[in-house]
Amino acid sequence: MSWLNLASWIPCTEVEGPGRRAALWVQGCDKRCIGCCNPGYLKIMERDILSAETMIERLLAAHDEWGLEGVTFLGGEPFLQAQGLAVVAEAVSRAGLSVMTFTGYTLEELNDLSLLGTRGLLAWTDVLVDGPYEALNPDRSRNWVGSTNQRFHYLTDRYNSSIEGVDVPEREVEWRIRDDGRLVVNGWPCTIR
Protein backbone atom coordinates (compact mmCIF):
# COMPACT_ATOMS: atom_id res chain seq x y z
CA MET A 1 0.00 0.00 0.00
CA SER A 2 1.23 3.50 -0.84
CA TRP A 3 0.90 6.46 1.53
CA LEU A 4 0.78 10.24 1.36
CA ASN A 5 1.67 12.90 3.91
CA LEU A 6 -0.96 15.46 2.98
CA ALA A 7 -0.66 19.11 4.00
CA SER A 8 -3.99 20.20 2.53
CA TRP A 9 -6.38 19.64 -0.34
CA ILE A 10 -9.25 21.40 -2.06
CA PRO A 11 -11.85 19.28 -3.86
CA CYS A 12 -12.64 21.99 -6.43
CA THR A 13 -10.62 25.03 -7.50
CA GLU A 14 -10.26 27.05 -10.68
CA VAL A 15 -6.91 28.73 -9.92
CA GLU A 16 -4.45 25.82 -9.64
CA GLY A 17 -4.27 24.75 -13.27
CA PRO A 18 -6.49 24.57 -16.35
CA GLY A 19 -10.21 24.19 -15.78
CA ARG A 20 -11.98 23.03 -12.65
CA ARG A 21 -9.63 20.79 -10.65
CA ALA A 22 -8.88 19.28 -7.30
CA ALA A 23 -5.60 20.45 -5.77
CA LEU A 24 -3.54 18.67 -3.18
CA TRP A 25 -0.51 19.91 -1.33
CA VAL A 26 1.93 17.44 0.21
CA GLN A 27 3.93 18.14 3.36
CA GLY A 28 7.70 18.44 3.19
CA CYS A 29 10.21 20.05 0.85
CA ASP A 30 13.99 20.12 0.76
CA LYS A 31 14.35 23.03 -1.70
CA ARG A 32 13.84 26.05 0.65
CA CYS A 33 13.21 28.64 -2.06
CA ILE A 34 13.43 32.18 -0.68
CA GLY A 35 9.93 33.67 -0.76
CA CYS A 36 8.15 30.31 -0.97
CA CYS A 37 4.39 30.86 -0.96
CA ASN A 38 3.79 27.76 1.18
CA PRO A 39 6.36 27.98 3.99
CA GLY A 40 4.13 25.97 6.33
CA TYR A 41 4.48 22.99 4.00
CA LEU A 42 8.30 22.94 3.94
CA LYS A 43 9.10 21.11 7.17
CA ILE A 44 9.44 17.38 6.73
CA MET A 45 7.07 16.26 9.45
CA GLU A 46 3.99 14.14 9.85
CA ARG A 47 0.85 16.05 8.89
CA ASP A 48 -2.10 13.99 7.61
CA ILE A 49 -1.01 10.47 6.74
CA LEU A 50 -3.45 8.66 4.48
CA SER A 51 -3.35 5.89 1.93
CA ALA A 52 -3.19 6.63 -1.76
CA GLU A 53 -6.41 4.62 -2.08
CA THR A 54 -8.20 6.95 0.37
CA MET A 55 -7.04 9.98 -1.60
CA ILE A 56 -8.20 8.35 -4.84
CA GLU A 57 -11.66 7.80 -3.35
CA ARG A 58 -11.82 11.46 -2.28
CA LEU A 59 -10.71 12.71 -5.68
CA LEU A 60 -13.13 10.53 -7.62
CA ALA A 61 -15.98 11.66 -5.33
CA ALA A 62 -14.96 15.29 -5.96
CA HIS A 63 -14.92 14.56 -9.70
CA ASP A 64 -18.47 13.19 -9.50
CA GLU A 65 -19.66 16.18 -7.48
CA TRP A 66 -17.90 18.99 -9.33
CA GLY A 67 -17.28 17.66 -12.85
CA LEU A 68 -13.53 18.10 -12.56
CA GLU A 69 -11.15 18.37 -15.49
CA GLY A 70 -8.12 17.34 -13.49
CA VAL A 71 -5.98 17.19 -10.39
CA THR A 72 -2.98 19.35 -9.48
CA PHE A 73 -0.17 18.21 -7.16
CA LEU A 74 1.72 20.92 -5.28
CA GLY A 75 3.71 21.17 -2.12
CA GLY A 76 5.86 20.97 -0.27
CA GLU A 77 7.62 18.92 -2.91
CA PRO A 78 5.52 16.30 -4.71
CA PHE A 79 8.50 14.27 -5.87
CA LEU A 80 9.48 13.52 -2.28
CA GLN A 81 6.21 11.56 -2.25
CA ALA A 82 6.29 10.37 -5.84
CA GLN A 83 5.49 6.73 -5.00
CA GLY A 84 2.11 7.53 -3.47
CA LEU A 85 1.31 10.30 -5.92
CA ALA A 86 2.10 7.99 -8.87
CA VAL A 87 -0.61 5.61 -7.64
CA VAL A 88 -3.06 8.50 -7.31
CA ALA A 89 -2.09 9.95 -10.70
CA GLU A 90 -2.59 6.64 -12.46
CA ALA A 91 -6.04 6.11 -10.94
CA VAL A 92 -7.34 9.61 -11.68
CA SER A 93 -5.85 9.50 -15.20
CA ARG A 94 -7.63 6.22 -15.88
CA ALA A 95 -10.83 7.94 -14.69
CA GLY A 96 -10.32 10.59 -17.40
CA LEU A 97 -8.81 13.39 -15.30
CA SER A 98 -5.70 15.32 -16.27
CA VAL A 99 -2.72 15.57 -13.91
CA MET A 100 -0.59 18.68 -13.42
CA THR A 101 2.43 18.47 -11.13
CA PHE A 102 4.54 21.33 -9.77
CA THR A 103 8.09 20.68 -8.59
CA GLY A 104 11.01 22.73 -7.36
CA TYR A 105 13.36 20.29 -9.11
CA THR A 106 14.17 20.61 -12.78
CA LEU A 107 13.27 17.70 -15.02
CA GLU A 108 16.98 17.03 -15.43
CA GLU A 109 17.44 16.86 -11.64
CA LEU A 110 14.52 14.48 -11.35
CA ASN A 111 16.10 12.18 -13.91
CA ASP A 112 19.48 12.33 -12.14
CA LEU A 113 18.14 11.90 -8.60
CA SER A 114 15.98 8.86 -9.38
CA LEU A 115 13.74 9.46 -6.36
CA LEU A 116 11.45 6.48 -5.72
CA GLY A 117 8.30 6.71 -7.80
CA THR A 118 9.55 9.49 -10.07
CA ARG A 119 9.18 7.54 -13.30
CA GLY A 120 5.65 6.48 -12.37
CA LEU A 121 4.55 10.00 -11.45
CA LEU A 122 6.04 11.45 -14.63
CA ALA A 123 4.37 8.71 -16.69
CA TRP A 124 0.93 9.79 -15.43
CA THR A 125 1.53 13.56 -15.45
CA ASP A 126 0.16 15.54 -18.37
CA VAL A 127 1.83 18.85 -17.48
CA LEU A 128 4.93 19.23 -15.34
CA VAL A 129 5.95 22.68 -14.12
CA ASP A 130 9.55 22.51 -12.95
CA GLY A 131 12.18 24.68 -11.34
CA PRO A 132 12.70 26.41 -8.02
CA TYR A 133 10.90 29.64 -7.24
CA GLU A 134 13.23 32.64 -7.75
CA ALA A 135 11.82 35.69 -5.97
CA LEU A 136 14.15 38.04 -7.88
CA ASN A 137 12.76 36.85 -11.24
CA PRO A 138 8.97 37.13 -10.98
CA ASP A 139 6.92 35.94 -13.94
CA ARG A 140 4.05 38.28 -14.74
CA SER A 141 3.10 36.84 -18.12
CA ARG A 142 2.22 33.17 -17.55
CA ASN A 143 -0.45 31.41 -15.57
CA TRP A 144 0.38 29.57 -12.33
CA VAL A 145 4.19 29.99 -12.28
CA GLY A 146 5.95 32.34 -9.91
CA SER A 147 9.27 32.99 -11.64
CA THR A 148 10.62 33.19 -15.17
CA ASN A 149 12.96 30.19 -14.80
CA GLN A 150 10.10 27.77 -14.26
CA ARG A 151 9.25 25.64 -17.28
CA PHE A 152 6.15 23.89 -18.56
CA HIS A 153 6.72 20.38 -19.90
CA TYR A 154 3.87 18.87 -21.90
CA LEU A 155 4.36 15.16 -21.26
CA THR A 156 1.21 14.12 -23.13
CA ASP A 157 -0.78 15.75 -25.91
CA ARG A 158 -3.66 16.68 -23.59
CA TYR A 159 -2.50 20.31 -23.28
CA ASN A 160 -0.16 22.68 -25.06
CA SER A 161 1.43 26.05 -24.40
CA SER A 162 -1.86 27.88 -24.94
CA ILE A 163 -2.75 27.16 -21.27
CA GLU A 164 0.15 29.33 -20.11
CA GLY A 165 -1.62 32.52 -21.15
CA VAL A 166 -0.03 35.69 -22.48
CA ASP A 167 0.32 38.93 -20.54
CA VAL A 168 -1.82 37.73 -17.65
CA PRO A 169 -3.13 41.04 -16.21
CA GLU A 170 -3.88 39.83 -12.68
CA ARG A 171 -3.27 36.66 -10.77
CA GLU A 172 -6.32 34.82 -9.54
CA VAL A 173 -6.99 33.74 -5.97
CA GLU A 174 -9.86 32.03 -4.23
CA TRP A 175 -11.05 32.84 -0.71
CA ARG A 176 -12.84 30.35 1.52
CA ILE A 177 -14.06 30.39 5.10
CA ARG A 178 -13.71 27.00 6.75
CA ASP A 179 -16.22 25.57 9.19
CA ASP A 180 -13.90 26.54 12.06
CA GLY A 181 -13.93 30.17 10.87
CA ARG A 182 -10.40 30.17 9.41
CA LEU A 183 -9.82 32.04 6.18
CA VAL A 184 -8.18 30.00 3.41
CA VAL A 185 -6.66 31.59 0.31
CA ASN A 186 -5.27 29.67 -2.64
CA GLY A 187 -3.93 30.60 -6.06
CA TRP A 188 -1.44 33.32 -6.89
CA PRO A 189 0.27 34.97 -5.11
CA CYS A 190 0.18 32.45 -2.30
CA THR A 191 -1.59 29.80 -0.36
CA ILE A 192 -2.55 30.61 3.21
CA ARG A 193 -3.97 27.93 5.46
Side-chain angles (χ1 to χ4, degrees):
M1 182 175 289
S2 296
W3 298 91
L4 298 175
N5 186 11
L6 193 64
S8 183
W9 85 289
I10 296 174
C12 183
T13 178
E14 294 184 27
V15 298
E16 301 293 354
R20 188 178 293 166
R21 333 180 51 78
L24 61 99
W25 290 262
V26 295
Q27 182 68 41
C29 181
D30 57 356
K31 297 302 281 186
R32 301 300 188 267
C33 302
I34 295 171
C36 174
C37 65
N38 292 320
Y41 300 164
L42 296 179
K43 188 173 182 183
I44 297 176
M45 58 181 256
E46 186 175 312
R47 190 76 175 260
D48 182 11
I49 305 296
L50 70 158
S51 69
E53 290 71 22
T54 297
M55 193 71 242
I56 292 164
E57 290 172 12
R58 290 180 184 178
L59 292 169
L60 295 180
H63 175 44
D64 289 343
E65 182 174 352
W66 298 99
L68 301 178
E69 177 175 331
V71 176
T72 299
F73 300 144
L74 308 112
E77 173 50 58
F79 281 92
L80 294 182
Q81 298 187 43
Q83 282 184 297
L85 289 176
V87 172
V88 174
E90 179 178 359
V92 299
S93 292
R94 290 186 185 279
L97 296 171
S98 65
V99 174
M100 184 173 196
T101 305
F102 285 82
T103 179
Y105 294 110
T106 64
L107 184 56
E108 294 79 11
E109 287 174 317
L110 289 172
N111 289 327
D112 289 344
L113 289 171
S114 299
L115 298 168
L116 292 175
T118 294
R119 285 186 184 159
L121 181 52
L122 288 173
W124 293 103
T125 293
D126 296 292
V127 180
L128 177 75
V129 179
D130 78 345
Y133 173 66
E134 296 177 353
L136 296 177
N137 297 307
D139 191 320
R140 301 196 198 304
S141 66
R142 295 180 296 161
N143 288 318
W144 312 303
V145 295
S147 55
T148 57
N149 64 298
Q150 295 172 316
R151 303 176 297 176
F152 284 78
H153 298 274
Y154 299 95
L155 304 180
T156 69
D157 61 2
R158 187 160 192 159
Y159 297 107
N160 60 46
S161 62
S162 67
I163 66 169
E164 296 173 36
V166 178
D167 297 321
V168 179
E170 290 185 35
R171 302 298 183 141
E172 293 182 348
V173 295
E174 294 174 339
W175 300 78
R176 293 177 174 76
I177 299 175
R178 292 208 169 156
D179 291 340
D180 63 5
R182 288 188 313 149
L183 180 64
V184 178
V185 181
N186 73 289
W188 185 259
C190 62
T191 300
I192 301 171
R193 306 249 179 256

